[in-house]
Amino acid sequence: MTERLAEIMAERRALEVRQAWDTVLRTREGRLVIWSILERCYPFAQTHHGNEMDGWRAGQREVGLMILNERIFPHDVGTFAAMQTEHAELMDRIQLAAEQQAEREQADE
């Protein structure tokens, strides 16, 4: 394989990946999936706790920061804000549903 052929292939693959990320980030469901991944990556949390898991958490954080910096932030100015808003709304709906379920269970006792 020539060097130029390898470059063209890499450019085409990068385009396919960007288009796939665009597809994912354009839907509420896709943004929720990405948010759930970010939650496991500690991008805004302290990873050093003075134990054997520090390196592992730091590695996860690097992945989370890469997702944010290379995929989410460049996608659209409002994408990350939309993700935050949608997550807050989801958690409000979950809390309300949980409270209602707890009240029903308590009434059934």
Side-chain angles (χ1 to χ4, degrees), residues 38-51 53-62 65:
L38 287 173
E39 286 179 316
R40 301 294 303 256
C41 292
Y42 311 100
F44 303 114
Q46 169 70 310
T47 58
H48 180 74
H49 298 284
N51 62 38
M53 298 298 291
D54 287 354
W56 183 74
R57 281 189 298 271
Q60 283 187 304
R61 184 172 185 272
E62 286 299 315
L65 292 173

PDB file of all heavy atoms in Angstrom, residues 38-51 53-62 65:
ATOM      1  N   LEU A  38     -20.036   8.908  29.497  1.00  0.00           N
ATOM      2  CA  LEU A  38     -19.271   9.959  30.180  1.00  0.00           C
ATOM      3  C   LEU A  38     -19.372   9.829  31.699  1.00  0.00           C
ATOM      4  O   LEU A  38     -18.389  10.093  32.410  1.00  0.00           O
ATOM      5  CB  LEU A  38     -19.738  11.342  29.738  1.00  0.00           C
ATOM      6  CG  LEU A  38     -19.329  11.759  28.331  1.00  0.00           C
ATOM      7  CD1 LEU A  38     -19.992  13.079  27.961  1.00  0.00           C
ATOM      8  CD2 LEU A  38     -17.819  11.858  28.207  1.00  0.00           C
ATOM      9  N   GLU A  39     -20.535   9.437  32.197  1.00  0.00           N
ATOM     10  CA  GLU A  39     -20.696   9.286  33.646  1.00  0.00           C
ATOM     11  C   GLU A  39     -19.690   8.284  34.218  1.00  0.00           C
ATOM     12  O   GLU A  39     -19.290   8.403  35.369  1.00  0.00           O
ATOM     13  CB  GLU A  39     -22.110   8.818  33.985  1.00  0.00           C
ATOM     14  CG  GLU A  39     -23.147   9.889  33.843  1.00  0.00           C
ATOM     15  CD  GLU A  39     -24.542   9.397  34.173  1.00  0.00           C
ATOM     16  OE1 GLU A  39     -24.921   8.293  33.727  1.00  0.00           O
ATOM     17  OE2 GLU A  39     -25.253  10.131  34.882  1.00  0.00           O
ATOM     18  N   ARG A  40     -19.306   7.309  33.423  1.00  0.00           N
ATOM     19  CA  ARG A  40     -18.364   6.288  33.871  1.00  0.00           C
ATOM     20  C   ARG A  40     -16.912   6.708  33.684  1.00  0.00           C
ATOM     21  O   ARG A  40     -16.011   5.976  34.064  1.00  0.00           O
ATOM     22  CB  ARG A  40     -18.609   4.984  33.104  1.00  0.00           C
ATOM     23  CG  ARG A  40     -19.998   4.400  33.247  1.00  0.00           C
ATOM     24  CD  ARG A  40     -20.286   3.942  34.660  1.00  0.00           C
ATOM     25  NE  ARG A  40     -19.332   2.971  35.130  1.00  0.00           N
ATOM     26  CZ  ARG A  40     -19.553   1.678  35.234  1.00  0.00           C
ATOM     27  NH1 ARG A  40     -20.719   1.189  34.907  1.00  0.00           N
ATOM     28  NH2 ARG A  40     -18.613   0.876  35.680  1.00  0.00           N
ATOM     29  N   CYS A  41     -16.705   7.873  33.075  1.00  0.00           N
ATOM     30  CA  CYS A  41     -15.351   8.300  32.712  1.00  0.00           C
ATOM     31  C   CYS A  41     -14.794   9.420  33.584  1.00  0.00           C
ATOM     32  O   CYS A  41     -13.671   9.870  33.335  1.00  0.00           O
ATOM     33  CB  CYS A  41     -15.318   8.734  31.233  1.00  0.00           C
ATOM     34  SG  CYS A  41     -15.558   7.374  30.092  1.00  0.00           S
ATOM     35  N   TYR A  42     -15.530   9.919  34.534  1.00  0.00           N
ATOM     36  CA  TYR A  42     -15.046  10.941  35.465  1.00  0.00           C
ATOM     37  C   TYR A  42     -14.447  12.185  34.801  1.00  0.00           C
ATOM     38  O   TYR A  42     -13.438  12.707  35.285  1.00  0.00           O
ATOM     39  CB  TYR A  42     -13.973  10.359  36.408  1.00  0.00           C
ATOM     40  CG  TYR A  42     -14.321   9.076  37.080  1.00  0.00           C
ATOM     41  CD1 TYR A  42     -13.845   7.853  36.593  1.00  0.00           C
ATOM     42  CD2 TYR A  42     -15.114   9.062  38.217  1.00  0.00           C
ATOM     43  CE1 TYR A  42     -14.152   6.662  37.218  1.00  0.00           C
ATOM     44  CE2 TYR A  42     -15.423   7.876  38.852  1.00  0.00           C
ATOM     45  CZ  TYR A  42     -14.947   6.675  38.347  1.00  0.00           C
ATOM     46  OH  TYR A  42     -15.250   5.500  38.974  1.00  0.00           O
ATOM     47  N   PRO A  43     -15.023  12.718  33.717  1.00  0.00           N
ATOM     48  CA  PRO A  43     -14.341  13.849  33.074  1.00  0.00           C
ATOM     49  C   PRO A  43     -14.307  15.115  33.933  1.00  0.00           C
ATOM     50  O   PRO A  43     -13.431  15.957  33.740  1.00  0.00           O
ATOM     51  CB  PRO A  43     -15.145  14.072  31.793  1.00  0.00           C
ATOM     52  CG  PRO A  43     -16.487  13.514  32.085  1.00  0.00           C
ATOM     53  CD  PRO A  43     -16.244  12.371  33.029  1.00  0.00           C
ATOM     54  N   PHE A  44     -15.225  15.248  34.884  1.00  0.00           N
ATOM     55  CA  PHE A  44     -15.255  16.449  35.715  1.00  0.00           C
ATOM     56  C   PHE A  44     -15.044  16.124  37.192  1.00  0.00           C
ATOM     57  O   PHE A  44     -15.421  16.901  38.060  1.00  0.00           O
ATOM     58  CB  PHE A  44     -16.594  17.179  35.545  1.00  0.00           C
ATOM     59  CG  PHE A  44     -16.864  17.537  34.110  1.00  0.00           C
ATOM     60  CD1 PHE A  44     -17.910  16.961  33.425  1.00  0.00           C
ATOM     61  CD2 PHE A  44     -16.049  18.440  33.442  1.00  0.00           C
ATOM     62  CE1 PHE A  44     -18.165  17.283  32.106  1.00  0.00           C
ATOM     63  CE2 PHE A  44     -16.284  18.762  32.117  1.00  0.00           C
ATOM     64  CZ  PHE A  44     -17.344  18.184  31.450  1.00  0.00           C
ATOM     65  N   ALA A  45     -14.438  14.992  37.452  1.00  0.00           N
ATOM     66  CA  ALA A  45     -14.266  14.560  38.838  1.00  0.00           C
ATOM     67  C   ALA A  45     -12.790  14.341  39.154  1.00  0.00           C
ATOM     68  O   ALA A  45     -11.970  14.144  38.260  1.00  0.00           O
ATOM     69  CB  ALA A  45     -15.039  13.268  39.081  1.00  0.00           C
ATOM     70  N   GLN A  46     -12.500  14.359  40.405  1.00  0.00           N
ATOM     71  CA  GLN A  46     -11.160  14.052  40.892  1.00  0.00           C
ATOM     72  C   GLN A  46     -10.947  12.548  40.753  1.00  0.00           C
ATOM     73  O   GLN A  46     -11.806  11.756  41.131  1.00  0.00           O
ATOM     74  CB  GLN A  46     -11.039  14.485  42.358  1.00  0.00           C
ATOM     75  CG  GLN A  46      -9.803  14.007  43.061  1.00  0.00           C
ATOM     76  CD  GLN A  46      -8.546  14.675  42.560  1.00  0.00           C
ATOM     77  OE1 GLN A  46      -8.289  14.734  41.377  1.00  0.00           O
ATOM     78  NE2 GLN A  46      -7.748  15.179  43.475  1.00  0.00           N
ATOM     79  N   THR A  47      -9.822  12.148  40.204  1.00  0.00           N
ATOM     80  CA  THR A  47      -9.549  10.723  40.036  1.00  0.00           C
ATOM     81  C   THR A  47      -8.522  10.207  41.039  1.00  0.00           C
ATOM     82  O   THR A  47      -8.349   9.007  41.171  1.00  0.00           O
ATOM     83  CB  THR A  47      -9.036  10.420  38.608  1.00  0.00           C
ATOM     84  OG1 THR A  47      -7.856  11.178  38.367  1.00  0.00           O
ATOM     85  CG2 THR A  47     -10.092  10.756  37.573  1.00  0.00           C
ATOM     86  N   HIS A  48      -7.864  11.111  41.731  1.00  0.00           N
ATOM     87  CA  HIS A  48      -6.838  10.694  42.696  1.00  0.00           C
ATOM     88  C   HIS A  48      -7.452  10.596  44.086  1.00  0.00           C
ATOM     89  O   HIS A  48      -7.914  11.584  44.654  1.00  0.00           O
ATOM     90  CB  HIS A  48      -5.672  11.697  42.701  1.00  0.00           C
ATOM     91  CG  HIS A  48      -4.599  11.323  43.666  1.00  0.00           C
ATOM     92  ND1 HIS A  48      -3.731  10.283  43.435  1.00  0.00           N
ATOM     93  CD2 HIS A  48      -4.266  11.834  44.864  1.00  0.00           C
ATOM     94  CE1 HIS A  48      -2.912  10.172  44.464  1.00  0.00           C
ATOM     95  NE2 HIS A  48      -3.218  11.113  45.337  1.00  0.00           N
ATOM     96  N   HIS A  49      -7.444   9.366  44.615  1.00  0.00           N
ATOM     97  CA  HIS A  49      -7.964   9.127  45.961  1.00  0.00           C
ATOM     98  C   HIS A  49      -6.919   8.451  46.843  1.00  0.00           C
ATOM     99  O   HIS A  49      -7.225   8.013  47.946  1.00  0.00           O
ATOM    100  CB  HIS A  49      -9.230   8.270  45.903  1.00  0.00           C
ATOM    101  CG  HIS A  49     -10.345   8.917  45.150  1.00  0.00           C
ATOM    102  ND1 HIS A  49     -11.114   9.930  45.670  1.00  0.00           N
ATOM    103  CD2 HIS A  49     -10.807   8.715  43.893  1.00  0.00           C
ATOM    104  CE1 HIS A  49     -12.009  10.323  44.773  1.00  0.00           C
ATOM    105  NE2 HIS A  49     -11.841   9.601  43.684  1.00  0.00           N
ATOM    106  N   GLY A  50      -5.694   8.318  46.302  1.00  0.00           N
ATOM    107  CA  GLY A  50      -4.617   7.731  47.086  1.00  0.00           C
ATOM    108  C   GLY A  50      -4.709   6.227  47.221  1.00  0.00           C
ATOM    109  O   GLY A  50      -4.267   5.677  48.234  1.00  0.00           O
ATOM    110  N   ASN A  51      -5.273   5.568  46.236  1.00  0.00           N
ATOM    111  CA  ASN A  51      -5.323   4.109  46.294  1.00  0.00           C
ATOM    112  C   ASN A  51      -4.966   3.494  44.951  1.00  0.00           C
ATOM    113  O   ASN A  51      -4.651   4.199  43.993  1.00  0.00           O
ATOM    114  CB  ASN A  51      -6.695   3.622  46.796  1.00  0.00           C
ATOM    115  CG  ASN A  51      -7.839   4.032  45.880  1.00  0.00           C
ATOM    116  OD1 ASN A  51      -7.705   4.033  44.666  1.00  0.00           O
ATOM    117  ND2 ASN A  51      -8.966   4.385  46.474  1.00  0.00           N
ATOM    118  N   MET A  53      -6.618   2.325  42.615  1.00  0.00           N
ATOM    119  CA  MET A  53      -7.524   2.596  41.498  1.00  0.00           C
ATOM    120  C   MET A  53      -7.256   3.944  40.825  1.00  0.00           C
ATOM    121  O   MET A  53      -7.876   4.256  39.812  1.00  0.00           O
ATOM    122  CB  MET A  53      -8.979   2.543  41.974  1.00  0.00           C
ATOM    123  CG  MET A  53      -9.413   1.186  42.509  1.00  0.00           C
ATOM    124  SD  MET A  53      -9.316  -0.106  41.257  1.00  0.00           S
ATOM    125  CE  MET A  53     -10.624   0.398  40.182  1.00  0.00           C
ATOM    126  N   ASP A  54      -6.338   4.734  41.355  1.00  0.00           N
ATOM    127  CA  ASP A  54      -6.068   6.075  40.812  1.00  0.00           C
ATOM    128  C   ASP A  54      -5.701   6.038  39.337  1.00  0.00           C
ATOM    129  O   ASP A  54      -6.229   6.815  38.540  1.00  0.00           O
ATOM    130  CB  ASP A  54      -4.967   6.770  41.605  1.00  0.00           C
ATOM    131  CG  ASP A  54      -5.417   7.232  42.973  1.00  0.00           C
ATOM    132  OD1 ASP A  54      -6.621   7.110  43.275  1.00  0.00           O
ATOM    133  OD2 ASP A  54      -4.562   7.703  43.738  1.00  0.00           O
ATOM    134  N   GLY A  55      -4.788   5.169  38.962  1.00  0.00           N
ATOM    135  CA  GLY A  55      -4.361   5.086  37.568  1.00  0.00           C
ATOM    136  C   GLY A  55      -5.498   4.666  36.648  1.00  0.00           C
ATOM    137  O   GLY A  55      -5.656   5.200  35.545  1.00  0.00           O
ATOM    138  N   TRP A  56      -6.290   3.732  37.102  1.00  0.00           N
ATOM    139  CA  TRP A  56      -7.433   3.256  36.314  1.00  0.00           C
ATOM    140  C   TRP A  56      -8.441   4.385  36.097  1.00  0.00           C
ATOM    141  O   TRP A  56      -8.886   4.620  34.981  1.00  0.00           O
ATOM    142  CB  TRP A  56      -8.078   2.072  37.037  1.00  0.00           C
ATOM    143  CG  TRP A  56      -9.212   1.453  36.310  1.00  0.00           C
ATOM    144  CD1 TRP A  56      -9.154   0.653  35.203  1.00  0.00           C
ATOM    145  CD2 TRP A  56     -10.593   1.588  36.632  1.00  0.00           C
ATOM    146  NE1 TRP A  56     -10.414   0.276  34.822  1.00  0.00           N
ATOM    147  CE2 TRP A  56     -11.322   0.836  35.686  1.00  0.00           C
ATOM    148  CE3 TRP A  56     -11.285   2.260  37.634  1.00  0.00           C
ATOM    149  CZ2 TRP A  56     -12.704   0.751  35.715  1.00  0.00           C
ATOM    150  CZ3 TRP A  56     -12.661   2.162  37.662  1.00  0.00           C
ATOM    151  CH2 TRP A  56     -13.349   1.422  36.701  1.00  0.00           C
ATOM    152  N   ARG A  57      -8.783   5.105  37.176  1.00  0.00           N
ATOM    153  CA  ARG A  57      -9.720   6.225  37.054  1.00  0.00           C
ATOM    154  C   ARG A  57      -9.144   7.333  36.173  1.00  0.00           C
ATOM    155  O   ARG A  57      -9.869   7.950  35.390  1.00  0.00           O
ATOM    156  CB  ARG A  57     -10.100   6.772  38.431  1.00  0.00           C
ATOM    157  CG  ARG A  57     -11.142   5.931  39.146  1.00  0.00           C
ATOM    158  CD  ARG A  57     -11.642   6.624  40.404  1.00  0.00           C
ATOM    159  NE  ARG A  57     -10.581   6.848  41.375  1.00  0.00           N
ATOM    160  CZ  ARG A  57     -10.232   5.994  42.319  1.00  0.00           C
ATOM    161  NH1 ARG A  57     -10.851   4.846  42.446  1.00  0.00           N
ATOM    162  NH2 ARG A  57      -9.262   6.285  43.156  1.00  0.00           N
ATOM    163  N   ALA A  58      -7.851   7.584  36.272  1.00  0.00           N
ATOM    164  CA  ALA A  58      -7.217   8.609  35.435  1.00  0.00           C
ATOM    165  C   ALA A  58      -7.302   8.219  33.961  1.00  0.00           C
ATOM    166  O   ALA A  58      -7.541   9.073  33.102  1.00  0.00           O
ATOM    167  CB  ALA A  58      -5.763   8.812  35.856  1.00  0.00           C
ATOM    168  N   GLY A  59      -7.130   6.946  33.663  1.00  0.00           N
ATOM    169  CA  GLY A  59      -7.269   6.477  32.289  1.00  0.00           C
ATOM    170  C   GLY A  59      -8.684   6.641  31.777  1.00  0.00           C
ATOM    171  O   GLY A  59      -8.904   7.075  30.632  1.00  0.00           O
ATOM    172  N   GLN A  60      -9.660   6.309  32.601  1.00  0.00           N
ATOM    173  CA  GLN A  60     -11.056   6.513  32.214  1.00  0.00           C
ATOM    174  C   GLN A  60     -11.330   7.990  31.972  1.00  0.00           C
ATOM    175  O   GLN A  60     -12.032   8.350  31.029  1.00  0.00           O
ATOM    176  CB  GLN A  60     -11.998   5.984  33.293  1.00  0.00           C
ATOM    177  CG  GLN A  60     -12.126   4.489  33.292  1.00  0.00           C
ATOM    178  CD  GLN A  60     -13.197   4.056  34.255  1.00  0.00           C
ATOM    179  OE1 GLN A  60     -13.164   4.389  35.432  1.00  0.00           O
ATOM    180  NE2 GLN A  60     -14.160   3.307  33.755  1.00  0.00           N
ATOM    181  N   ARG A  61     -10.780   8.830  32.828  1.00  0.00           N
ATOM    182  CA  ARG A  61     -10.979  10.276  32.681  1.00  0.00           C
ATOM    183  C   ARG A  61     -10.414  10.762  31.349  1.00  0.00           C
ATOM    184  O   ARG A  61     -11.025  11.593  30.676  1.00  0.00           O
ATOM    185  CB  ARG A  61     -10.328  11.018  33.842  1.00  0.00           C
ATOM    186  CG  ARG A  61     -10.564  12.506  33.815  1.00  0.00           C
ATOM    187  CD  ARG A  61     -10.046  13.162  35.101  1.00  0.00           C
ATOM    188  NE  ARG A  61     -10.390  14.550  35.118  1.00  0.00           N
ATOM    189  CZ  ARG A  61      -9.640  15.522  34.594  1.00  0.00           C
ATOM    190  NH1 ARG A  61      -8.483  15.233  34.030  1.00  0.00           N
ATOM    191  NH2 ARG A  61     -10.041  16.769  34.653  1.00  0.00           N
ATOM    192  N   GLU A  62      -9.258  10.250  30.956  1.00  0.00           N
ATOM    193  CA  GLU A  62      -8.663  10.627  29.676  1.00  0.00           C
ATOM    194  C   GLU A  62      -9.592  10.277  28.521  1.00  0.00           C
ATOM    195  O   GLU A  62      -9.734  11.045  27.573  1.00  0.00           O
ATOM    196  CB  GLU A  62      -7.294   9.951  29.490  1.00  0.00           C
ATOM    197  CG  GLU A  62      -6.199  10.552  30.327  1.00  0.00           C
ATOM    198  CD  GLU A  62      -5.946  12.015  30.000  1.00  0.00           C
ATOM    199  OE1 GLU A  62      -5.880  12.375  28.813  1.00  0.00           O
ATOM    200  OE2 GLU A  62      -5.813  12.807  30.955  1.00  0.00           O
ATOM    201  N   LEU A  65     -12.462  12.827  28.568  1.00  0.00           N
ATOM    202  CA  LEU A  65     -12.020  14.126  28.049  1.00  0.00           C
ATOM    203  C   LEU A  65     -11.827  14.081  26.540  1.00  0.00           C
ATOM    204  O   LEU A  65     -12.143  15.044  25.833  1.00  0.00           O
ATOM    205  CB  LEU A  65     -10.728  14.564  28.750  1.00  0.00           C
ATOM    206  CG  LEU A  65     -10.871  14.909  30.230  1.00  0.00           C
ATOM    207  CD1 LEU A  65      -9.503  15.170  30.854  1.00  0.00           C
ATOM    208  CD2 LEU A  65     -11.798  16.092  30.432  1.00  0.00           C
TER     209      LEU A  65
END
